PDB file of all heavy atoms in Angstrom:
ATOM      1  N   CYS A 304     -38.391  37.248 -34.571  1.00  0.00           N
ATOM      2  CA  CYS A 304     -39.000  37.481 -35.928  1.00  0.00           C
ATOM      3  C   CYS A 304     -40.393  36.632 -35.910  1.00  0.00           C
ATOM      4  O   CYS A 304     -40.383  35.695 -35.259  1.00  0.00           O
ATOM      5  CB  CYS A 304     -38.163  36.806 -37.024  1.00  0.00           C
ATOM      6  SG  CYS A 304     -36.674  37.809 -37.270  1.00  0.00           S
ATOM      7  N   GLY A 305     -41.243  37.172 -36.614  1.00  0.00           N
ATOM      8  CA  GLY A 305     -42.580  36.415 -36.857  1.00  0.00           C
ATOM      9  C   GLY A 305     -43.219  36.172 -35.413  1.00  0.00           C
ATOM     10  O   GLY A 305     -43.344  37.066 -34.617  1.00  0.00           O
ATOM     11  N   SER A 306     -43.596  34.949 -35.173  1.00  0.00           N
ATOM     12  CA  SER A 306     -44.277  34.602 -33.827  1.00  0.00           C
ATOM     13  C   SER A 306     -43.506  35.005 -32.714  1.00  0.00           C
ATOM     14  O   SER A 306     -43.915  35.334 -31.622  1.00  0.00           O
ATOM     15  CB  SER A 306     -44.774  33.240 -33.881  1.00  0.00           C
ATOM     16  OG  SER A 306     -45.638  32.923 -34.933  1.00  0.00           O
ATOM     17  N   ALA A 307     -42.154  34.712 -32.867  1.00  0.00           N
ATOM     18  CA  ALA A 307     -41.199  35.170 -31.799  1.00  0.00           C
ATOM     19  C   ALA A 307     -41.228  36.635 -31.433  1.00  0.00           C
ATOM     20  O   ALA A 307     -41.050  37.030 -30.297  1.00  0.00           O
ATOM     21  CB  ALA A 307     -39.791  34.567 -32.132  1.00  0.00           C
ATOM     22  N   SER A 351     -36.096  32.950 -30.110  1.00  0.00           N
ATOM     23  CA  SER A 351     -36.055  32.104 -31.356  1.00  0.00           C
ATOM     24  C   SER A 351     -36.410  30.698 -30.967  1.00  0.00           C
ATOM     25  O   SER A 351     -35.720  30.202 -30.152  1.00  0.00           O
ATOM     26  CB  SER A 351     -34.774  32.356 -32.024  1.00  0.00           C
ATOM     27  OG  SER A 351     -34.784  31.413 -33.184  1.00  0.00           O
ATOM     28  N   GLN A 352     -37.367  30.193 -31.685  1.00  0.00           N
ATOM     29  CA  GLN A 352     -37.737  28.848 -31.541  1.00  0.00           C
ATOM     30  C   GLN A 352     -36.481  27.916 -32.028  1.00  0.00           C
ATOM     31  O   GLN A 352     -35.943  27.131 -31.283  1.00  0.00           O
ATOM     32  CB  GLN A 352     -38.911  28.350 -32.314  1.00  0.00           C
ATOM     33  CG  GLN A 352     -39.513  26.965 -32.177  1.00  0.00           C
ATOM     34  CD  GLN A 352     -38.667  25.886 -32.857  1.00  0.00           C
ATOM     35  OE1 GLN A 352     -38.297  24.974 -32.031  1.00  0.00           O
ATOM     36  NE2 GLN A 352     -38.427  26.065 -34.073  1.00  0.00           N
ATOM     37  N   SER A 353     -36.179  28.245 -33.310  1.00  0.00           N
ATOM     38  CA  SER A 353     -35.038  27.268 -33.923  1.00  0.00           C
ATOM     39  C   SER A 353     -33.758  27.620 -33.435  1.00  0.00           C
ATOM     40  O   SER A 353     -32.881  26.867 -33.470  1.00  0.00           O
ATOM     41  CB  SER A 353     -35.207  27.547 -35.473  1.00  0.00           C
ATOM     42  OG  SER A 353     -34.806  28.802 -35.775  1.00  0.00           O
ATOM     43  N   THR A 356     -32.679  31.487 -36.988  1.00  0.00           N
ATOM     44  CA  THR A 356     -33.122  32.536 -37.884  1.00  0.00           C
ATOM     45  C   THR A 356     -32.080  33.643 -38.042  1.00  0.00           C
ATOM     46  O   THR A 356     -31.555  34.141 -37.211  1.00  0.00           O
ATOM     47  CB  THR A 356     -34.426  33.229 -37.095  1.00  0.00           C
ATOM     48  OG1 THR A 356     -35.459  32.071 -37.024  1.00  0.00           O
ATOM     49  CG2 THR A 356     -34.963  34.274 -38.102  1.00  0.00           C
ATOM     50  N   VAL A 402     -44.521  24.692 -39.748  1.00  0.00           N
ATOM     51  CA  VAL A 402     -44.133  26.033 -39.973  1.00  0.00           C
ATOM     52  C   VAL A 402     -44.715  26.954 -39.015  1.00  0.00           C
ATOM     53  O   VAL A 402     -44.210  27.860 -38.544  1.00  0.00           O
ATOM     54  CB  VAL A 402     -44.320  26.302 -41.486  1.00  0.00           C
ATOM     55  CG1 VAL A 402     -44.209  27.804 -41.582  1.00  0.00           C
ATOM     56  CG2 VAL A 402     -43.450  25.475 -42.322  1.00  0.00           C
ATOM     57  N   ALA A 404     -45.867  28.314 -35.722  1.00  0.00           N
ATOM     58  CA  ALA A 404     -45.465  28.257 -34.486  1.00  0.00           C
ATOM     59  C   ALA A 404     -46.689  28.093 -33.534  1.00  0.00           C
ATOM     60  O   ALA A 404     -47.749  28.736 -33.704  1.00  0.00           O
ATOM     61  CB  ALA A 404     -44.656  29.498 -34.105  1.00  0.00           C
ATOM     62  N   ALA A 603     -41.203  28.839 -44.867  1.00  0.00           N
ATOM     63  CA  ALA A 603     -40.509  27.733 -44.381  1.00  0.00           C
ATOM     64  C   ALA A 603     -40.350  28.005 -42.827  1.00  0.00           C
ATOM     65  O   ALA A 603     -40.473  29.194 -42.579  1.00  0.00           O
ATOM     66  CB  ALA A 603     -39.076  27.708 -45.153  1.00  0.00           C
ATOM     67  N   LYS A 604     -39.804  26.969 -42.187  1.00  0.00           N
ATOM     68  CA  LYS A 604     -39.902  27.249 -40.737  1.00  0.00           C
ATOM     69  C   LYS A 604     -38.625  27.997 -40.205  1.00  0.00           C
ATOM     70  O   LYS A 604     -38.754  28.932 -39.582  1.00  0.00           O
ATOM     71  CB  LYS A 604     -39.868  25.868 -39.979  1.00  0.00           C
ATOM     72  CG  LYS A 604     -39.968  26.019 -38.420  1.00  0.00           C
ATOM     73  CD  LYS A 604     -40.770  25.011 -37.818  1.00  0.00           C
ATOM     74  CE  LYS A 604     -41.082  25.343 -36.470  1.00  0.00           C
ATOM     75  NZ  LYS A 604     -42.117  26.379 -36.232  1.00  0.00           N
ATOM     76  N   VAL A 606     -35.751  30.258 -41.072  1.00  0.00           N
ATOM     77  CA  VAL A 606     -35.498  31.149 -42.180  1.00  0.00           C
ATOM     78  C   VAL A 606     -33.989  31.596 -42.009  1.00  0.00           C
ATOM     79  O   VAL A 606     -33.655  32.574 -41.379  1.00  0.00           O
ATOM     80  CB  VAL A 606     -36.386  32.408 -42.204  1.00  0.00           C
ATOM     81  CG1 VAL A 606     -36.024  33.168 -43.442  1.00  0.00           C
ATOM     82  CG2 VAL A 606     -37.763  31.902 -42.375  1.00  0.00           C
TER      83      VAL A 606
HETATM   84  C1  LIG B 701     -40.337  31.913 -39.749  1.00  0.00           C
HETATM   85  C2  LIG B 701     -41.556  30.958 -39.378  1.00  0.00           C
HETATM   86  C3  LIG B 701     -42.298  31.595 -38.181  1.00  0.00           C
HETATM   87  C4  LIG B 701     -41.475  31.913 -36.957  1.00  0.00           C
HETATM   88  C5  LIG B 701     -40.232  32.823 -37.439  1.00  0.00           C
HETATM   89  C6  LIG B 701     -39.176  32.884 -36.380  1.00  0.00           C
HETATM   90  O1  LIG B 701     -40.861  33.071 -40.295  1.00  0.00           O
HETATM   91  O2  LIG B 701     -42.421  30.823 -40.403  1.00  0.00           O
HETATM   92  O3  LIG B 701     -43.299  30.696 -37.715  1.00  0.00           O
HETATM   93  O4  LIG B 701     -42.184  32.432 -35.959  1.00  0.00           O
HETATM   94  O5  LIG B 701     -39.549  32.178 -38.590  1.00  0.00           O
HETATM   95  O6  LIG B 701     -38.645  31.694 -36.116  1.00  0.00           O
HETATM   96  P1  LIG B 701     -37.692  31.281 -34.901  1.00  0.00           P
HETATM   97  O7  LIG B 701     -37.215  29.931 -35.068  1.00  0.00           O
HETATM   98  O8  LIG B 701     -36.614  32.216 -34.809  1.00  0.00           O
HETATM   99  O9  LIG B 701     -38.509  31.477 -33.610  1.00  0.00           O
END
Side-chain angles (χ1 to χ4, degrees):
C304 294
S306 298
S351 178
Q352 186 287 126
S353 62
T356 300
V402 170
K604 183 145 190 78
V606 183

